[in-house]
Amino acid sequence: MLRNGIDRLREWLAVEDSDGRIEGSGDSIASPQRRRSSGAERERLAKIAEERRNEDP
């Protein structure tokens, strides 16, 4: 009886396609303090500049 309950709970919690459930940009999430730092701002601007360079033919 306990085993049946555990099996049902596992089925209820199971995710068929875990990759399909998680959506997002794939970028890591930085702490709010890190996002406000000048180093983080320089990195953000460098990333934008790199993306623009890659877009230009």
Side-chain angles (χ1 to χ4, degrees):
M1 185 167 134
L2 181 59
R3 180 174 284 248
N4 289 339
I6 291 172
D7 288 341
R8 274 193 244 145
L9 182 61
R10 283 185 182 154
E11 288 177 20
W12 183 68
L13 294 175
V15 177
E16 290 180 20
D17 183 16
S18 61
D19 290 335
R21 187 176 88 158
I22 300 171
E23 295 184 16
S25 65
D27 293 338
S28 61
I29 299 172
S31 70
Q33 182 180 8
R34 171 85 174 119
R35 287 189 298 234
R36 288 189 296 262
S37 72
S38 61
E41 182 66 14
R42 279 192 301 272
E43 289 175 16
R44 186 183 70 80
L45 292 174
K47 183 177 179 182
I48 290 171
E50 180 67 29
E51 288 172 356
R52 286 184 181 166
R53 271 186 252 132
N54 290 338
E55 289 176 0
D56 292 338

Coordinates of all heavy atoms in Angstrom, one line a residue:
M1 N 0.8 -1.2 0.0 CA 0.0 0.0 0.0 C 0.9 1.3 0.0 O 0.6 2.2 -0.7 CB -0.9 0.0 1.2 CG -1.9 1.1 1.2 SD -3.1 0.9 2.4 CE -3.2 2.4 3.2
L2 N 1.9 1.3 0.8 CA 2.8 2.4 0.9 C 3.5 2.6 -0.5 O 3.7 3.7 -1.0 CB 3.8 2.3 2.0 CG 4.8 3.4 2.2 CD1 4.1 4.7 2.5 CD2 5.7 3.1 3.3
R3 N 3.9 1.4 -1.0 CA 4.6 1.5 -2.3 C 3.7 2.0 -3.4 O 4.2 2.8 -4.2 CB 5.1 0.1 -2.7 CG 5.8 0.0 -4.0 CD 6.4 -1.3 -4.3 NE 7.5 -1.5 -3.4 CZ 8.8 -1.6 -3.9 NH1 9.0 -1.6 -5.2 NH2 9.8 -1.7 -3.1
N4 N 2.5 1.7 -3.4 CA 1.5 2.2 -4.4 C 1.4 3.7 -4.2 O 1.3 4.5 -5.2 CB 0.1 1.5 -4.3 CG 0.2 0.1 -4.8 OD1 1.0 -0.3 -5.5 ND2 -0.8 -0.7 -4.3
G5 N 1.3 4.2 -3.0 CA 1.2 5.6 -2.8 C 2.4 6.4 -3.3 O 2.3 7.4 -3.9
I6 N 3.6 5.8 -3.0 CA 4.8 6.4 -3.5 C 4.9 6.4 -5.0 O 5.3 7.4 -5.6 CB 6.1 5.7 -2.8 CG1 6.1 6.0 -1.3 CG2 7.4 6.2 -3.5 CD1 7.1 5.2 -0.6
D7 N 4.5 5.3 -5.6 CA 4.5 5.3 -7.1 C 3.6 6.3 -7.7 O 3.9 7.0 -8.7 CB 4.1 3.9 -7.6 CG 5.2 2.8 -7.3 OD1 6.4 3.3 -7.1 OD2 4.9 1.6 -7.3
R8 N 2.4 6.5 -7.1 CA 1.5 7.5 -7.6 C 2.0 8.9 -7.4 O 1.9 9.7 -8.3 CB 0.1 7.4 -6.9 CG -0.8 6.3 -7.5 CD -2.2 6.5 -7.0 NE -2.5 5.2 -6.3 CZ -3.2 5.1 -5.3 NH1 -3.8 6.1 -4.7 NH2 -3.4 3.9 -4.7
L9 N 2.7 9.1 -6.3 CA 3.3 10.4 -6.0 C 4.4 10.7 -7.0 O 4.5 11.8 -7.6 CB 3.8 10.5 -4.6 CG 4.4 11.8 -4.2 CD1 3.4 12.9 -4.2 CD2 5.0 11.7 -2.8
R10 N 5.2 9.7 -7.4 CA 6.2 9.9 -8.4 C 5.7 10.2 -9.7 O 6.2 11.1 -10.5 CB 7.1 8.7 -8.4 CG 8.1 8.5 -7.3 CD 9.0 7.4 -7.5 NE 9.9 7.2 -6.4 CZ 10.4 6.1 -6.1 NH1 10.2 5.0 -6.7 NH2 11.3 6.0 -5.0
E11 N 4.6 9.5 -10.1 CA 3.9 9.8 -11.4 C 3.4 11.2 -11.4 O 3.4 11.9 -12.4 CB 2.9 8.7 -11.6 CG 3.4 7.4 -12.0 CD 2.3 6.4 -12.2 OE1 1.1 6.8 -12.4 OE2 2.5 5.2 -12.1
W12 N 2.8 11.6 -10.3 CA 2.2 12.9 -10.3 C 3.2 14.0 -10.4 O 3.0 15.0 -11.0 CB 1.4 13.0 -8.9 CG 0.6 14.3 -8.8 CD1 -0.5 14.7 -9.5 CD2 0.9 15.4 -7.9 NE1 -0.8 16.0 -9.1 CE2 0.0 16.4 -8.1 CE3 1.9 15.5 -6.9 CZ2 0.0 17.6 -7.4 CZ3 1.9 16.7 -6.2 CH2 0.9 17.7 -6.4
L13 N 4.4 13.8 -9.8 CA 5.4 14.8 -9.8 C 6.3 14.7 -11.0 O 7.1 15.7 -11.3 CB 6.3 14.7 -8.5 CG 5.6 15.0 -7.2 CD1 6.6 14.7 -6.1 CD2 5.2 16.4 -7.2
A14 N 6.3 13.6 -11.8 CA 7.2 13.4 -12.9 C 6.9 14.5 -14.0 O 5.8 14.9 -14.2 CB 7.0 12.0 -13.5
V15 N 8.0 14.9 -14.7 CA 7.9 15.8 -15.8 C 8.2 15.1 -17.0 O 9.3 14.5 -17.1 CB 8.8 17.0 -15.6 CG1 8.8 17.9 -16.7 CG2 8.5 17.7 -14.3
E16 N 7.3 15.1 -18.0 CA 7.6 14.3 -19.2 C 8.8 14.8 -20.0 O 9.7 14.1 -20.4 CB 6.4 14.3 -20.1 CG 5.2 13.5 -19.5 CD 4.0 13.5 -20.4 OE1 4.2 13.8 -21.6 OE2 2.9 13.2 -19.9
D17 N 8.8 16.1 -20.2 CA 9.9 16.7 -21.0 C 10.5 17.9 -20.2 O 10.0 19.0 -20.3 CB 9.4 17.2 -22.3 CG 10.5 17.8 -23.2 OD1 11.7 17.6 -22.9 OD2 10.2 18.4 -24.2
S18 N 11.5 17.7 -19.4 CA 12.0 18.7 -18.5 C 12.6 19.9 -19.3 O 12.5 21.0 -18.9 CB 13.0 18.1 -17.5 OG 14.1 17.6 -18.2
D19 N 13.2 19.6 -20.4 CA 13.8 20.7 -21.2 C 12.7 21.6 -21.8 O 12.9 22.8 -21.9 CB 14.6 20.1 -22.4 CG 15.9 19.5 -21.9 OD1 16.4 19.8 -20.8 OD2 16.4 18.6 -22.6
G20 N 11.6 21.0 -22.1 CA 10.5 21.8 -22.6 C 9.8 22.7 -21.6 O 9.2 23.7 -21.9
R21 N 9.9 22.3 -20.3 CA 9.3 23.1 -19.3 C 10.1 24.3 -18.9 O 9.5 25.3 -18.5 CB 9.2 22.1 -18.0 CG 8.4 22.7 -16.9 CD 8.2 21.8 -15.8 NE 9.4 21.9 -14.9 CZ 9.3 21.5 -13.7 NH1 8.3 20.9 -13.2 NH2 10.4 21.7 -12.9
I22 N 11.4 24.3 -19.0 CA 12.2 25.4 -18.6 C 12.5 26.3 -19.8 O 13.0 25.8 -20.8 CB 13.5 24.9 -18.0 CG1 13.2 24.0 -16.8 CG2 14.4 26.1 -17.7 CD1 14.4 23.3 -16.3
E23 N 12.1 27.5 -19.8 CA 12.3 28.4 -20.9 C 13.0 29.6 -20.4 O 12.9 30.0 -19.2 CB 11.0 28.9 -21.5 CG 10.2 27.7 -22.1 CD 8.9 28.2 -22.8 OE1 8.8 29.4 -23.0 OE2 8.1 27.3 -23.0
G24 N 13.8 30.2 -21.2 CA 14.5 31.4 -20.8 C 15.6 31.7 -21.8 O 15.8 31.0 -22.8
S25 N 16.4 32.7 -21.6 CA 17.5 33.1 -22.5 C 18.7 32.2 -22.4 O 19.5 32.1 -23.3 CB 17.9 34.5 -22.2 OG 18.5 34.6 -21.0
G26 N 18.8 31.5 -21.3 CA 20.0 30.6 -21.1 C 21.1 31.4 -20.4 O 22.1 30.7 -20.0
D27 N 21.0 32.7 -20.2 CA 22.0 33.4 -19.5 C 21.9 33.1 -18.0 O 20.8 32.9 -17.5 CB 21.8 34.9 -19.7 CG 22.1 35.3 -21.1 OD1 22.8 34.6 -21.8 OD2 21.6 36.4 -21.5
S28 N 23.1 33.2 -17.3 CA 23.0 33.0 -15.9 C 22.4 34.2 -15.2 O 22.4 35.3 -15.7 CB 24.4 32.8 -15.4 OG 25.2 33.9 -15.6
I29 N 21.8 33.9 -14.1 CA 21.2 35.0 -13.3 C 22.2 35.5 -12.3 O 22.6 34.8 -11.5 CB 19.9 34.5 -12.6 CG1 18.9 34.0 -13.7 CG2 19.3 35.6 -11.8 CD1 17.7 33.3 -13.1
A30 N 22.4 36.8 -12.4 CA 23.4 37.5 -11.5 C 22.6 38.1 -10.3 O 21.4 38.4 -10.4 CB 24.2 38.5 -12.2
S31 N 23.3 38.2 -9.2 CA 22.7 38.9 -8.0 C 22.4 40.3 -8.3 O 23.1 40.9 -9.2 CB 23.6 38.7 -6.8 OG 24.7 39.6 -7.0
P32 N 21.5 41.0 -7.7 CA 21.2 42.4 -7.9 C 22.4 43.3 -7.7 O 22.7 44.2 -8.4 CB 20.1 42.7 -6.9 CG 19.4 41.4 -6.7 CD 20.5 40.4 -6.8
Q33 N 23.2 42.9 -6.7 CA 24.4 43.7 -6.4 C 25.4 43.6 -7.6 O 26.0 44.6 -8.0 CB 25.1 43.2 -5.2 CG 26.3 44.0 -4.8 CD 27.0 43.5 -3.5 OE1 26.6 42.4 -3.0 NE2 27.9 44.2 -3.0
R34 N 25.5 42.5 -8.2 CA 26.4 42.3 -9.3 C 25.9 43.0 -10.5 O 26.7 43.6 -11.3 CB 26.6 40.8 -9.6 CG 27.3 40.4 -10.8 CD 28.8 40.4 -10.6 NE 29.4 39.9 -11.8 CZ 30.3 40.6 -12.5 NH1 30.7 41.8 -12.1 NH2 30.8 40.1 -13.6
R35 N 24.7 43.0 -10.7 CA 24.1 43.7 -11.9 C 24.3 45.2 -11.8 O 24.4 45.9 -12.9 CB 22.6 43.4 -12.0 CG 22.3 42.0 -12.5 CD 20.8 41.9 -12.8 NE 20.1 42.1 -11.6 CZ 19.2 41.3 -11.1 NH1 18.9 40.2 -11.6 NH2 18.5 41.6 -10.0
R36 N 24.4 45.8 -10.7 CA 24.6 47.2 -10.5 C 26.0 47.6 -10.5 O 26.3 48.8 -10.6 CB 23.9 47.7 -9.2 CG 22.4 47.6 -9.2 CD 21.9 48.3 -8.0 NE 22.2 47.6 -6.8 CZ 21.4 46.8 -6.2 NH1 20.2 46.5 -6.7 NH2 21.8 46.2 -5.1
S37 N 27.0 46.7 -10.5 CA 28.4 47.1 -10.4 C 28.9 47.7 -11.7 O 28.4 47.4 -12.8 CB 29.2 45.9 -10.0 OG 29.3 45.0 -11.0
S38 N 29.9 48.5 -11.6 CA 30.4 49.1 -12.9 C 31.1 48.0 -13.8 O 31.0 48.1 -15.0 CB 31.5 50.2 -12.5 OG 32.5 49.6 -11.8
G39 N 31.7 47.0 -13.2 CA 32.3 45.9 -14.0 C 31.2 45.2 -14.7 O 31.4 44.8 -15.9
A40 N 30.1 44.9 -14.1 CA 29.0 44.3 -14.8 C 28.4 45.1 -15.9 O 28.1 44.6 -17.0 CB 27.8 43.9 -13.8
E41 N 28.4 46.4 -15.7 CA 27.9 47.3 -16.8 C 28.9 47.3 -18.0 O 28.4 47.3 -19.1 CB 27.8 48.8 -16.2 CG 27.3 49.8 -17.2 CD 25.8 49.5 -17.7 OE1 25.1 48.7 -17.0 OE2 25.4 50.1 -18.7
R42 N 30.2 47.3 -17.7 CA 31.2 47.2 -18.8 C 31.0 45.9 -19.5 O 31.1 45.9 -20.8 CB 32.6 47.3 -18.2 CG 33.0 48.7 -17.9 CD 34.5 48.8 -17.7 NE 35.0 48.0 -16.5 CZ 35.0 48.4 -15.3 NH1 34.6 49.6 -15.0 NH2 35.4 47.6 -14.3
E43 N 30.8 44.8 -18.8 CA 30.6 43.5 -19.5 C 29.3 43.5 -20.3 O 29.3 43.0 -21.5 CB 30.5 42.4 -18.4 CG 31.8 42.1 -17.7 CD 31.6 41.0 -16.6 OE1 30.5 40.4 -16.6 OE2 32.5 40.9 -15.8
R44 N 28.3 44.1 -19.8 CA 27.0 44.2 -20.6 C 27.2 45.0 -21.9 O 26.8 44.6 -23.0 CB 25.9 44.9 -19.7 CG 24.5 44.8 -20.4 CD 23.5 45.5 -19.5 NE 23.7 47.0 -19.4 CZ 23.3 47.8 -20.4 NH1 22.7 47.4 -21.5 NH2 23.6 49.1 -20.3
L45 N 27.9 46.2 -21.8 CA 28.1 47.0 -23.0 C 29.1 46.3 -24.0 O 28.9 46.4 -25.2 CB 28.7 48.3 -22.5 CG 27.8 49.2 -21.8 CD1 28.5 50.5 -21.3 CD2 26.6 49.6 -22.6
A46 N 30.0 45.5 -23.5 CA 30.9 44.8 -24.3 C 30.2 43.7 -25.1 O 30.4 43.4 -26.3 CB 32.1 44.2 -23.5
K47 N 29.2 43.1 -24.4 CA 28.4 42.0 -25.0 C 27.6 42.6 -26.1 O 27.4 42.0 -27.2 CB 27.6 41.3 -23.9 CG 26.8 40.2 -24.4 CD 26.0 39.5 -23.3 CE 25.2 38.3 -23.8 NZ 24.4 37.7 -22.8
I48 N 27.0 43.7 -25.8 CA 26.1 44.4 -26.8 C 26.9 44.8 -28.0 O 26.5 44.6 -29.2 CB 25.4 45.6 -26.2 CG1 24.4 45.2 -25.2 CG2 24.8 46.5 -27.3 CD1 23.8 46.3 -24.4
A49 N 28.1 45.3 -27.8 CA 29.0 45.7 -28.9 C 29.4 44.5 -29.7 O 29.4 44.5 -31.0 CB 30.3 46.4 -28.4
E50 N 29.7 43.4 -29.1 CA 30.1 42.1 -29.8 C 28.9 41.6 -30.6 O 29.1 41.2 -31.8 CB 30.5 41.1 -28.8 CG 30.9 39.7 -29.4 CD 32.2 39.9 -30.2 OE1 33.0 40.7 -29.9 OE2 32.3 39.1 -31.1
E51 N 27.7 41.7 -30.1 CA 26.5 41.2 -30.8 C 26.3 42.1 -32.0 O 26.0 41.6 -33.1 CB 25.3 41.3 -29.9 CG 25.3 40.2 -28.9 CD 24.1 40.3 -27.9 OE1 23.4 41.3 -27.9 OE2 24.0 39.4 -27.0
R52 N 26.5 43.4 -31.9 CA 26.4 44.3 -33.1 C 27.4 44.0 -34.1 O 27.1 44.1 -35.3 CB 26.4 45.7 -32.6 CG 25.2 46.2 -31.9 CD 25.2 47.6 -31.5 NE 24.0 48.0 -30.8 CZ 23.9 49.1 -30.1 NH1 24.8 50.0 -30.1 NH2 22.7 49.3 -29.5
R53 N 28.6 43.7 -33.7 CA 29.7 43.4 -34.7 C 29.3 42.1 -35.4 O 29.6 42.0 -36.6 CB 31.0 43.2 -33.9 CG 31.8 44.5 -33.8 CD 33.2 44.2 -33.2 NE 33.1 44.8 -31.9 CZ 33.5 44.2 -30.8 NH1 34.1 43.0 -30.8 NH2 33.4 44.8 -29.6
N54 N 28.8 41.2 -34.7 CA 28.4 39.9 -35.4 C 27.2 40.1 -36.3 O 27.1 39.3 -37.3 CB 28.0 38.8 -34.3 CG 29.3 38.4 -33.6 OD1 30.4 38.5 -34.0 ND2 29.0 37.9 -32.4
E55 N 26.4 41.1 -36.1 CA 25.2 41.3 -37.0 C 25.6 42.0 -38.3 O 25.0 41.8 -39.3 CB 24.2 42.2 -36.2 CG 23.4 41.5 -35.1 CD 22.5 42.4 -34.4 OE1 22.4 43.6 -34.7 OE2 21.9 41.9 -33.4
D56 N 26.6 42.8 -38.2 CA 27.1 43.6 -39.4 C 27.7 42.6 -40.4 O 28.5 41.8 -40.0 CB 28.1 44.7 -39.0 CG 27.4 45.8 -38.2 OD1 26.2 45.9 -38.3 OD2 28.2 46.5 -37.5
P57 N 27.3 42.7 -41.7 CA 27.9 41.8 -42.7 C 29.3 42.1 -43.0 O 29.9 43.0 -42.8 CB 27.0 42.1 -43.9 CG 26.2 43.3 -43.7 CD 26.3 43.6 -42.2

